[in-house]
């Protein structure tokens, strides 16, 4: 699920700003953007995200500013004159083309400064970074929950339509099963009309054997079990939606099972109305599956 959360706080000379973003992902994929001196914080920040989010690609951008980051360089007149004399000497030696500008003088001063020792975060600064990250992640979760409510309404709409499709399939199945024996027997008799027994005795088709074969064909083409399992999967889907916590993977699995049962029904039935209902059910199932990808 997508969303964004931000938080910032300053305690003494230390200021922490955290931005948490998330997009859809099948699993939990976490990326933290943190300057090198503060990389030791990454395990703690990962724990903050994992405690609130189970699914999605989450990017945590952490900006830490300390007093040492705000240091500026002051250039006095004597230093500037000295630098200009050095620059003229470099120009006479062909090292530079002209006198240095003010910006170039400042760059020269910064380049001449010794490297600063990377800042070391104390316990208070670390706690501040974790606390601000928790607030940013909480804001992100709240945004995801608002989006989740919209998704839930859409899923319930698709689920209701899918239930009506299944009910139509079940009702049509009853009609198909009731007329199947007469229809199959009629077709078989038309195919075998005028035939004689293989031994030439002229005996007709054995009614008992015909009834047995018809019953077997009906049993193989009956979709009662698939429709029963399909109804169970729809109930399971609705139950999972009402549960707390991460249910996205379970819903994803149930959509696969729903589609499997619809495919089996489509391969068994020969009734045109049932086949059309199966196609409609597959479309609704695909809409469910697309929305489920956005759920934690």
């Amino acid at each position: 699920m997508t969303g964004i959360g931000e938080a910032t706080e300053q305690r003494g000379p230390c200021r922490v700003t955290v931005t948490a973003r998330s997009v859809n992902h099948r699993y939990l994929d976490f990326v933290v953007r943190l300057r090198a001196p503060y990389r030791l914080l990454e395990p703690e920040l990962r724990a903050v995200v994992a405690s609130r989010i189970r699914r999605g690609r989450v990017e945590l951008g952490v900006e830490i500013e300390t007093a040492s980051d705000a240091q500026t360089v002051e250039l006095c007149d004597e230093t500037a004159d000295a630098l200009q004399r050095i620059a003229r000497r470099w120009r006479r030696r062909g090292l530079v083309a002209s006198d240095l500008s003010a910006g170039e003088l400042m760059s020269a001063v910064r380049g001449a400064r010794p490297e600063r020792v990377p800042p070391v975060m104390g316990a208070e600064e670390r706690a501040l970074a974790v606390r601000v990250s928790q607030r940013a992640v909480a804001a992100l979760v709240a945004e995801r929950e608002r989006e989740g409510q919209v998704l839930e309404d859409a899923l319930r709409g698709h689920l209701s339509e899918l239930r009506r499709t299944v009910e139509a399939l079940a009702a049509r199945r009853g009609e198909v099963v009731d007329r199947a024996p007469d229809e199959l027997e009629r077709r078989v008799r038309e195919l075998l009309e005028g035939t004689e027994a293989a031994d030439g005795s002229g005996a007709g088709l054995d009614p008992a054997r015909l009834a047995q074969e018809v019953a077997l064909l009906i049993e193989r083409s009956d979709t009662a079990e698939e429709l029963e399992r399909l109804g169970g999967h729809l109930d399971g889907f609705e139950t999972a939606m009402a549960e707390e916590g991460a249910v996205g993977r379970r819903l994803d699995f149930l959509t696969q099972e729903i589609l499997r049962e619809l495919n089996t029904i489509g391969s068994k039935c020969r009734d045109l109305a049932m086949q059309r209902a199966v196609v409609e059910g597959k479309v609704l199932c695909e809409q469910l599956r697309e929305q489920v990808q956005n759920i934690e």
Side-chain angles (χ1 to χ4, degrees):
M1 298 174 64
T2 59
I4 184 171
E6 297 179 313
T8 184
E9 183 178 339
Q10 182 163 354
R11 182 61 59 89
C14 184
R15 179 183 179 87
V16 178
T17 302
V18 178
T19 302
R21 295 182 175 88
S22 73
V23 294
N24 298 331
H25 197 276
R26 188 173 183 181
Y27 304 105
L28 176 60
D29 183 19
F30 174 65
V31 177
V32 60
R33 306 199 181 281
L34 195 63
R35 285 192 294 164
Y38 308 108
R39 291 286 169 79
L40 292 177
L41 275 172
E42 186 169 337
E44 295 176 68
L45 301 183
R46 285 185 175 274
V48 169
V49 173
S51 66
R52 299 296 304 275
I53 299 176
R54 296 291 183 271
R55 195 180 190 194
R57 177 179 173 82
V58 181
E59 179 180 315
L60 203 65
V62 183
E63 184 62 33
I64 301 174
E65 303 174 49
T66 61
S68 59
D69 296 323
Q71 289 180 353
T72 59
V73 177
E74 295 184 359
L75 189 62
C76 63
D77 292 342
E78 292 80 4
T79 304
D81 291 340
L83 287 172
Q84 282 288 11
R85 288 195 296 272
I86 295 173
R88 285 193 291 270
R89 187 163 64 249
W90 287 350
R91 182 165 55 85
R92 288 194 300 270
R93 297 170 56 184
L95 298 177
V96 295
S98 61
D99 290 343
L100 296 178
S101 65
E104 290 169 334
L105 287 174
M106 294 296 293
S107 297
V109 171
R110 293 192 186 98
R113 295 173 63 199
E115 290 291 330
R116 287 204 312 265
V117 177
V120 177
M121 295 194 72
E124 292 186 5
E125 289 81 3
R126 295 176 71 93
L128 176 63
V130 171
R131 183 167 63 250
V132 177
S133 297
Q134 289 172 336
R135 287 169 47 200
V137 171
L140 171 62
V141 170
E143 183 72 18
R144 285 160 57 102
E145 288 176 348
R146 283 191 290 271
E147 182 185 352
Q149 185 59 56
V150 176
L151 288 174
E152 181 181 357
D153 295 340
L155 285 174
R156 291 193 181 280
H158 295 323
L159 193 63
S160 297
E161 293 183 29
L162 192 52
R163 281 191 182 279
R164 287 193 289 270
T165 300
V166 173
E167 290 171 359
L169 279 169
R172 185 63 180 174
R173 171 200 164 268
E175 299 176 13
V176 171
V177 169
D178 289 342
R179 72 167 190 266
D182 294 338
E183 179 66 20
L184 284 173
E185 185 174 351
R186 181 187 63 80
R187 292 177 61 186
V188 171
R189 288 190 180 281
E190 288 177 356
L191 291 172
L192 298 179
E193 187 176 5
T195 62
E196 295 182 351
D199 57 4
S201 63
L205 185 66
D206 182 5
R209 180 61 183 274
L210 176 61
Q212 182 180 7
E213 293 297 328
V214 168
L216 184 60
L217 286 172
I218 292 175
E219 181 181 356
R220 289 177 177 175
S221 60
D222 191 13
T223 58
E225 292 184 5
E226 288 78 14
L227 287 170
E228 183 177 355
R229 287 195 296 267
L230 190 53
H233 293 327
L234 294 179
D235 291 340
F237 194 99
E238 191 166 6
T239 299
M241 287 178 58
E243 294 179 0
E244 297 291 336
V247 296
R249 293 183 187 177
R250 190 190 311 176
L251 295 178
D252 192 16
F253 172 76
L254 286 171
T255 57
Q256 296 176 35
E257 293 301 306
I258 292 170
L259 183 60
R260 180 179 292 110
E261 300 300 340
L262 287 170
N263 284 330
T264 303
I265 294 172
S267 65
K268 280 188 172 185
C269 68
R270 295 294 179 267
D271 182 73
L272 182 59
M274 289 188 71
Q275 289 179 344
R276 289 175 176 171
V278 166
V279 172
E280 180 64 22
K282 288 182 180 180
V283 172
L284 292 170
C285 185
E286 179 62 22
Q287 292 173 342
L288 274 180
R289 191 194 67 80
E290 290 178 357
Q291 297 290 359
V292 163
Q293 306 307 311
N294 301 323
I295 296 178
E296 182 176 67

